[in-house]
């Protein structure tokens, strides 16, 4: 096919090109694995200079995540297997055509994987300087193909040098791909079946004006480059006999056509129509030759209806131009070796897959051409065994993963969040007047599921941070519905993450050299990894892990408090001061009487004063701390901060002077 093979964002899975699959596991995912072959395929579709672990790591991670979701869906929605397999079977020709186009034609330059691998084995010494990912074939596929191509085409190889090699190979690839469809059509004896549109002759009879000959006329002409001289020549002449003495006879002229040796002369058609036969035209300037002419109109032949045999193809094309002719779905449109190959049913199925707004752009002829090309490529692919190739098998596996992952998302994460329909109906009836009207239950299922899934900690945090937005109420429970409307959107992602975490199949990394990471689900594992990342100063990763802990364990106050302390510290180190202050504020308002909450008061005041430069709010935080925790190990420091703020910074100035003086004495 002439289009480029498009690879989805989520990896297509290739199994190398050796005689056995590259099935070494990188990670165990549920009942399956992520294989080295998955990584090798990602490499094979990238430029040769970027086929390394670093360049493919993010795509490999996407592949692993999709496979994990797919394995989860296989467990939860096993009944979807038949539908998914049927959809894949229907798209088999399209996949084979792309495999043929991208790998066999483009990458391999029309050679099989075995031919390239055999050539490599015989010429290993030529490729010793290459840095290999794993299989040499993955890294060197295009180079091996080009070398073999030139060896098999010595006349072309004789023209190649270092300067033009790339251009010659690229040109050869383009030529090969451009000619392949026609070559295969000829090889397989593909023929279009003529379609005889019904009603063509009837259309001919009902619209004779579209099938008439042009008005024609015979002329005598006299010319001159000087209009005055020409006027002198024809002065006093009124008869054909006199005009013929100074003029020449011209061939038959069709209305609206160019005139031999004169070119287009629209004014002549106007004059003939106006004057009629046996008249002399005014002097006319021919635009193309800039010569002046006068004509004697010898005779005019009126338009004649053309015979049906001469115009039947024109009639057919006119009818076809008005839209595709309606045909029975069994009508054969193309044959292969004399047997039916493409029928109208195939065209209709293709059109069904096109968005209704765009179908008018895809007429039968266009779809037929694309379909024939796809089917001959698929036929060639099967004959060459590409339907048994690692590329094809792996791509089908990847598409299966994608389909199952979509089922998981559609059926669980964006539908009912795993809550039973009965529970949703009860909640809907209880809250429909306050939260869900005027929508029906069917239209509200997801909203009801979120309402039932948002944890209390989300309401408590919102009320603690934004109490001023909710009037004079004393507690969040009394305005829960109002808060829900404000936090629903931002809480939705966390709800989905919790739902998935409870159901996702386990995943274990086998080969750590690829840099894969699966999000942990146990609190102990999250804490261990977060602390390790923090020690390595990977603050963003540590932040993400603590935020995951907050999301996954909303009902454990001890965990929530610990997470808030850890995140507040990291936010501060990342210079996210406003977020850090909010985190400290949550700690002081949700757990005001906990023994270690004085630290949150102190750090809130410290960040407000030192980084946010908001001494008035900092003073409030320090004074609240001293009122509640007057004897903590940070109370003296808090009093110093208060004195410094109230003195306009003079306390710290004096302290700095004393420290500097002491240093000088030493």
């Amino acid at each position: 096919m002439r289009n480029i093979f498009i690879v989805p964002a989520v990896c297509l899975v290739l199994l190398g090109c050796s005689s056995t699959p590259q099935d070494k596991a990188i990670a165990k995912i549920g009942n399956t694995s992520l294989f080295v072959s998955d990584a090798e395929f990602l490499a094979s579709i990238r430029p040769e200079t970027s086929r390394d672990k670093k360049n493919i790591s993010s795509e490999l991670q996407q592949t692993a995540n999709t496979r994990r979701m797919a394995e989860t869906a296989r467990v939860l929605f096993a009944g979807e297997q038949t539908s998914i397999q049927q959809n894949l079977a229907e798209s088999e020709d399209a996949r084979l055509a792309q495999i043929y186009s991208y790998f066999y034609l483009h990458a391999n330059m029309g050679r099989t994987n075995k031919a390239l691998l055999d050539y490599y084995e015989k010429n290993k010494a030529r490729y010793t300087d290459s840095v290999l990912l794993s299989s040499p074939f993955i890294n060197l596929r295009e180079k091996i193909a080009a070398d073999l191509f030139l060896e098999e085409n010595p006349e072309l190889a004789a023209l190649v040098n270092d300067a033009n090699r790339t251009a010659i190979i690229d040109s050869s690839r383009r030529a090969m791909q451009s000619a392949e469809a026609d070559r295969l059509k000829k090889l397989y004896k593909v023929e279009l079946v003529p379609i005889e549109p019904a009603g063509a002759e009837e259309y001919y009879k009902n619209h004779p004006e579209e099938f008439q000959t042009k008005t024609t006329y015979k002329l005598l002409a006299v010319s001159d480059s000087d209009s005055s001289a020409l006027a002198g020549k024809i002065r006093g002449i009124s008869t054909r006999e006199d005009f013929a003495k100074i003029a020449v006879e011209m061939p038959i002229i069709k209305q609206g056509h160019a005139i031999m040796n004169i070119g287009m002369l629209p004014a002549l058609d106007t004059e003939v129509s106006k004057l009629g036969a046996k008249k002399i035209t005014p002097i006319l300037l021919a635009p193309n030759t800039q010569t002046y002419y006068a004509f004697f109109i010898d005779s005019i032949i009126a338009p004649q209806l053309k015979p049906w045999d001469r115009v039947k193809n024109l009639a057919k094309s006119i009818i076809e131009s008005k839209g595709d002719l309606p045909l029975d779905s069994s009508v054969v449109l193309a044959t292969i070796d004399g047997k039916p190959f493409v029928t109208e049913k195939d065209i209709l199925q293709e059109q069904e897959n096109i968005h209704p707004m765009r179908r008018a752009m895809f007429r039968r002829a266009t779809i037929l051409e694309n379909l024939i090309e796809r089917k001959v490529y698929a036929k060639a692919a099967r004959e060459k065994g590409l339907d048994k190739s690692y590329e094809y098998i792996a791509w089908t596996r990847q598409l299966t993963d994608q389909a199952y992952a979509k089922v998981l998302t559609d059926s669980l994460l964006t539908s009912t969040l795993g809550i039973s329909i009965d529970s949703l109906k009860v909640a809907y009836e209880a809250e429909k007047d306050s939260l869900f009207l005027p929508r029906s239950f069917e239209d509200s299922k997801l909203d009801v599921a979120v309402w039932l899934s948002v944890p209390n900690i989300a309401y408590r945090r919102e009320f603690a941070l934004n109490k001023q937005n909710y009037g004079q109420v004393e507690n969040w429970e009394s305005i829960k519905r109002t808060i829900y409307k404000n936090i629903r959107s931002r809480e939705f992602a966390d709800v989905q993450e919790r739902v998935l975490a409870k159901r996702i199949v386990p995943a274990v990394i086998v080969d750590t050299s690829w840099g894969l990471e699966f999000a942990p689900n146990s609190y102990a594992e999250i804490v261990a990894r977060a602390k390790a990342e923090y020690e390595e100063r990977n603050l963003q990763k540590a932040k993400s892990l603590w935020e995951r802990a907050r999301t996954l364990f909303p009902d454990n106050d001890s965990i929530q408090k610990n997470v808030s302390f850890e995140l507040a510290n990291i936010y501060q180190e990342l210079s996210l001061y406003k977020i850090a202050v909010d985190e400290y504020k949550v700690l002081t308002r949700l757990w005001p009487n906990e023994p270690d909450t004085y630290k949150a008061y102190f750090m809130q005041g410290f960040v407000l004063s030192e980084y946010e430069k908001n001494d008035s709010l900092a003073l409030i935080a320090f004074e609240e701390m001293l009122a509640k925790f007057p004897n903590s190990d940070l109370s003296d420091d808090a009093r110093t901060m208060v004195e410094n703020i109230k003195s306009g910074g003079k306390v710290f100035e004096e302290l700095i002077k004393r420290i500097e003086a002491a240093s000088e004495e030493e």
Side-chain angles (χ1 to χ4, degrees), residues 33-157:
S33 296
L34 180 75
F35 298 105
V36 170
S37 58
D38 298 313
E40 289 187 342
F41 178 76
L42 284 175
S44 73
I45 60 175
R46 297 179 69 90
E48 292 177 86
T49 55
S50 60
R51 294 177 180 175
D52 54 59
K53 289 183 177 181
K54 181 179 180 181
N55 277 292
I56 66 172
S57 59
S58 62
E59 294 163 86
L60 188 63
Q61 183 70 62
Q62 287 180 332
T63 304
N65 294 342
T66 300
R67 188 155 300 162
R68 194 179 188 190
M69 291 184 70
E71 283 299 294
T72 302
R74 286 185 177 93
V75 173
L76 298 178
F77 305 102
E80 296 292 332
Q81 179 178 356
T82 300
S83 174
I84 290 172
Q85 289 181 341
Q86 181 178 342
N87 290 336
L88 288 171
E90 290 172 356
S91 64
E92 183 175 291
D93 276 3
R95 296 198 307 280
L96 281 172
Q98 287 188 324
I99 291 291
Y100 188 89
S101 176
Y102 185 77
F103 286 106
Y104 180 76
L105 283 183
H106 174 76
N108 289 17
M109 297 190 74
R111 275 71 183 168
T112 64
N113 290 347
K114 184 179 184 306
L116 297 190
L117 195 58
D118 288 347
Y119 184 83
Y120 169 79
E121 292 295 336
K122 294 175 183 177
N123 297 277
K124 278 186 179 180
R126 297 173 59 178
Y127 306 105
T128 53
D129 294 335
S130 299
V131 178
L132 304 181
L133 174 69
S134 178
S135 165
F137 190 86
I138 298 301
N139 293 74
L140 304 170
R141 184 180 206 136
E142 290 85 351
K143 180 174 175 55
I144 297 169
D147 290 345
L148 177 56
F149 174 78
L150 291 176
E151 186 170 298
E152 293 177 348
N153 293 273
E155 292 183 1
L156 182 63

Side-chain angles (χ1 to χ4, degrees), residues 584-602:
Y584 289 126
K585 190 186 296 184
V586 166
L587 283 160
T588 63
R589 293 184 178 180
L590 295 191
W591 300 282
N593 300 317
E594 292 288 315
D596 55 354
T597 299
Y598 72 90
K599 299 175 184 177
Y601 275 112
F602 182 86

Side-chain angles (χ1 to χ4, degrees), residues 432-573:
K432 64 181 180 181
D433 294 334
S434 59
L435 291 177
F436 309 122
L437 281 182
R439 291 172 297 156
S440 66
F441 171 70
E442 285 301 319
D443 293 336
S444 304
K445 282 193 296 188
L446 181 58
D447 260 345
V448 180
V450 177
W451 164 252
L452 292 175
S453 303
V454 173
N456 287 347
I457 189 67
Y459 295 100
R460 292 167 60 197
R461 283 179 60 85
E462 169 66 14
F463 190 68
L465 287 173
N466 300 297
K467 183 178 179 181
Q468 70 279 2
N469 296 336
Y470 297 102
Q472 300 300 314
V473 296
E474 292 299 320
N475 57 69
W476 65 269
E477 290 95 336
S478 62
I479 54 166
K480 180 178 179 180
R481 292 163 184 80
T482 301
I483 296 178
Y484 170 76
K485 293 175 182 178
N486 292 334
I487 68 175
R488 188 264 185 207
S489 295
R490 72 170 182 255
E491 288 296 316
F492 182 41
D494 286 351
V495 172
Q496 289 179 309
E497 193 169 350
R498 283 192 292 276
V499 170
L500 186 60
K502 291 176 183 177
R503 294 163 173 79
I504 198 80
V505 298
V508 179
I509 296 172
V510 177
D511 185 345
T512 59
S513 68
W514 295 89
L516 290 183
E517 293 181 345
F518 291 106
N521 291 330
S522 77
Y523 182 64
E525 187 179 356
I526 292 174
V527 171
R529 283 176 56 174
K531 289 183 176 180
E533 296 292 356
Y534 184 83
E535 290 298 321
E536 294 294 324
R537 306 309 294 159
N538 297 324
L539 298 184
Q540 288 290 352
K541 286 187 176 181
K543 177 176 81 72
S544 296
L545 286 162
W546 285 117
E547 288 171 343
R548 181 170 179 80
R550 164 178 288 166
T551 296
L552 296 189
F553 305 99
D555 300 323
N556 188 313
D557 252 30
S558 176
I559 289 177
Q560 290 293 313
K561 183 168 75 75
N562 184 48
V563 168
S564 283
F565 267 117
E566 296 291 346
L567 281 173
N569 179 46
I570 292 174
Y571 291 149
Q572 180 187 336
E573 291 193 56

Side-chain angles (χ1 to χ4, degrees), residues 78 82 108 148 178 193 206 216 326 345 356 369 383 389 401 492 503 510 542 544 582-583 633 661:
T82 300
N108 289 17
L148 177 56
S178 177
V193 177
N206 293 334
T216 56
K345 181 180 179 180
E369 180 182 355
E383 290 179 356
S389 70
D401 283 351
F492 182 41
R503 294 163 173 79
V510 177
S544 296
D582 282 348
E583 208 62 57
D633 57 5

Side-chain angles (χ1 to χ4, degrees), residues 625-632 635-636 639:
M625 171 195 165
L626 291 171
K628 290 189 175 185
F629 304 96
N631 300 315
S632 73
S635 293
D636 288 343
R639 292 186 183 96

